[in-house]
Amino acid sequence: MTISDLESAAPAEAEAATFPYKRTCPFTPPAQYADMIEKDVSEVTLDGSGLRIWTVTGYETMRTLLTDPRLSASRRHDNFPFYFVAPPEYRTETSFIGYDGDAHSSTRRKAALTFTHRQVQRLRPRIEEIVDEHLDKLLAMEAPADFHRVFSLAVPMTVICELLGIPQDQHEFFIKHGTALLGGHSSTEERQAAIVEVNAYISELIKQKKETPGEDLLSRAMADYEASGEEYTDRDLFNMVRLLMNGGHETTASQISLGTACLLENPDQLELLLNDPSLVKPAVEELVRFATIGDTAVPRVALEDIEVAGQVIRKGDGILCLGLAANRDPEVFPEPEKLDIRRGSRKHLGFGHGVHHCIGADLARLELEIVWSKLFQRIPTLRLAKPFLEIPRKEGAVIYGLWELPVTW
């Protein structure tokens, strides 16, 4: 079954449900989005909290809002739109993703130098080695194998651990706790415990880096704080590290698995890529647009009354900017429901927009480019080991994706 077949299989009527809604398939917007897209701004009830908040679906509306200083990214607001029951630490143990204004720019700057385009491109040879090493491990296994576990999680985890100066033997620890923090099935207690355990580990890591600095992001961030004379605490550091760990592996891992499955389910597009390897860069952009793994990962709170698309959003109201809907706007992406790796548009909102645009976007692009350049060249017979619709999906997760990806070759 192709993706276009799945698109046409969407139910005719949407079931009433609390938000977030389930996708018809990993690449198809929930049926409820159709009416919401017509309105651009809609009111929904969040699962777990029962909070009433606003959703925004229009591409131009979303871009405008994400550059509006009257919106806050701070988790400390009472009506911040968590669509799960969040422990108190979700409001207090944050980093620049949940900061506004000067606090955001100052903290983000400590990490930004590692993620400039020039610095990221210097990582290409090492990332190529990492991808080849993990493809070797996959090929050494007896098929079928879980591609998501063996490859998709492992590659970006190895990259981000090296950048942060975290020992490679801690992979399983961070994968486990990343799943607890961002997965759709975690209880409040599990999320809370994950924050406590990760912070304890990173606190010890910070202590070691203070005693013996290295050539890594954490060591450089501490040196930057000291040189600038800015006040900071260990909490500032471990919140930044935890944010970069989760953002640096969970998102890219989900995109690798979803994008790979999407290519396998669209053999015409995979053939285009195999026949013309130069299409890999536009393919990355199209697969990021098509999957939009961070559909519900852009929450905001209004700091004052704002009129949006004819609707007044009151001060203190929560807002979710739905990237999957915006990335299917036909005025921006002709025939948006079609996967076309030749499209190559970077206008998509898969990495967000505005001052909170994903700090690791260039790194993610490079990892995905290298993965899809090598994967099908080295394993041309790769295929799914079970029907696509039977693969469990991360419904309700902060970062959408697959729990597994069984493949054979």
Side-chain angles (χ1 to χ4, degrees):
M1 179 179 284
T2 66
I3 297 302
S4 58
D5 294 330
L6 293 170
E7 295 270 2
S8 63
E13 295 184 7
E15 298 179 7
T18 52
F19 193 89
Y21 305 130
K22 291 184 177 181
R23 300 190 188 193
T24 306
C25 91
F27 312 107
T28 307
Q32 293 92 336
Y33 277 23
D35 181 58
M36 295 162 70
I37 289 170
E38 286 291 319
K39 296 176 181 177
D40 197 355
V41 177
S42 304
E43 201 172 10
V44 300
T45 300
L46 295 183
D47 190 28
S49 67
L51 186 69
R52 294 286 286 176
I53 61 110
W54 300 98
T55 59
V56 177
T57 55
Y59 179 88
E60 291 299 339
T61 305
M62 201 174 301
R63 280 174 57 91
T64 299
L65 281 176
L66 292 178
T67 57
D68 193 326
R70 296 174 296 173
L71 264 62
S72 171
S74 174
R75 274 70 175 149
R76 295 176 183 271
H77 296 287
D78 290 340
N79 288 340
F80 188 83
F82 292 115
Y83 47 85
F84 49 82
V85 179
E89 287 79 2
Y90 261 65
R91 297 188 184 277
T92 58
E93 301 298 330
T94 184
S95 186
F96 53 84
I97 195 174
Y99 294 168
D100 299 323
D102 291 343
H104 168 263
S105 57
S106 174
T107 308
R108 181 182 172 112
R109 188 169 58 247
K110 303 298 184 295
L113 289 177
T114 299
F115 296 99
T116 64
H117 182 75
R118 178 179 293 181
Q119 287 294 103
V120 165
Q121 289 303 315
R122 290 176 178 173
L123 299 173
R124 179 183 289 272
R126 177 57 186 142
I127 296 175
E128 289 179 341
E129 289 178 357
I130 291 169
V131 169
D132 277 326
E133 287 167 5
H134 286 87
L135 286 175
D136 289 343
K137 290 179 182 179
L138 180 67
L139 288 168
M141 300 177 70
E142 183 177 345
D146 182 358
F147 182 83
H148 183 69
R149 188 72 175 176
V150 174
F151 185 86
S152 300
L153 282 168
V155 167
M157 177 61 78
T158 303
V159 173
I160 198 65
C161 278
E162 290 190 4
L163 284 177
L164 290 169
I166 293 174
Q168 297 296 323
D169 60 5
Q170 296 301 316
H171 284 197
E172 288 300 319
F173 175 85
F174 280 102
I175 288 173
K176 171 189 172 185
H177 289 86
T179 299
L181 289 167
L182 301 176
H185 302 312
S186 305
S187 67
T188 304
E189 292 74 22
E190 287 170 332
R191 290 188 172 100
Q192 192 168 22
I195 292 175
V196 171
E197 290 180 28
V198 171
N199 285 354
Y201 174 85
I202 297 174
S203 293
E204 182 60 30
L205 181 68
I206 290 169
K207 180 181 176 182
Q208 294 172 11
K209 295 296 180 182
K210 285 180 177 179
E211 295 172 354
T212 312
E215 295 298 321
D216 54 76
L217 187 152
L218 178 54
S219 296
R220 287 195 297 271
M222 288 191 287
D224 192 9
Y225 271 121
E226 295 293 345
S228 67
E230 293 180 60
E231 292 186 8
Y232 76 99
T233 65
D234 285 357
R235 174 175 288 183
D236 295 320
L237 290 170
F238 60 62
N239 283 337
M240 180 176 70
V241 172
R242 195 183 69 243
L243 170 65
L244 294 174
M245 279 298 303
N246 291 331
H249 89 272
E250 182 73 20
T251 53
T252 308
S254 289
Q255 186 63 57
I256 290 172
S257 287
L258 274 175
T260 299
C262 191
L263 288 169
L264 292 173
E265 287 292 286
N266 287 265
D268 60 321
Q269 298 299 300
L270 178 54
E271 185 177 3
L272 285 173
L273 182 58
L274 288 172
N275 291 337
D276 184 0
S278 70
L279 286 174
V280 69
K281 287 188 177 181
V284 167
E285 302 303 329
E286 177 68 348
L287 289 164
V288 169
R289 178 196 74 86
F290 203 63
T292 313
I293 58 174
D295 176 34
T296 58
V298 187
R300 296 290 186 269
V301 172
L303 296 176
E304 56 184 84
D305 291 358
I306 305 173
E307 185 173 341
V308 182
Q311 175 65 56
V312 176
I313 296 177
R314 299 297 182 188
K315 177 181 179 180
D317 283 357
I319 304 166
L320 271 175
C321 296
L322 303 182
L324 183 59
N327 281 340
R328 298 299 175 95
D329 189 327
E331 293 186 10
V332 183
F333 309 101
E335 297 185 281
E337 73 288 347
K338 285 184 60 178
L339 177 73
D340 181 0
I341 66 168
R342 294 165 297 188
R343 189 194 307 265
S345 173
R346 290 173 67 117
K347 292 182 178 180
H348 64 79
L349 301 179
F351 293 114
H353 183 66
V355 297
H356 285 279
H357 181 270
C358 176
I359 194 172
D362 280 337
L363 178 60
R365 284 183 164 108
L366 180 61
E367 290 181 69
L368 295 171
E369 176 191 334
I370 293 170
V371 164
W372 290 323
S373 291
K374 289 179 173 288
L375 174 61
F376 296 105
Q377 294 292 340
R378 290 197 55 188
I379 317 180
T381 60
L382 190 74
R383 61 191 185 277
L384 296 182
K386 69 190 306 185
F388 184 55
L389 288 182
E390 293 181 12
I391 297 174
R393 309 194 295 265
K394 294 184 176 181
E395 299 289 356
V398 178
I399 300 300
Y400 195 81
L402 305 173
W403 287 111
E404 62 179 45
L405 185 60
V407 297
T408 188
W409 55 93

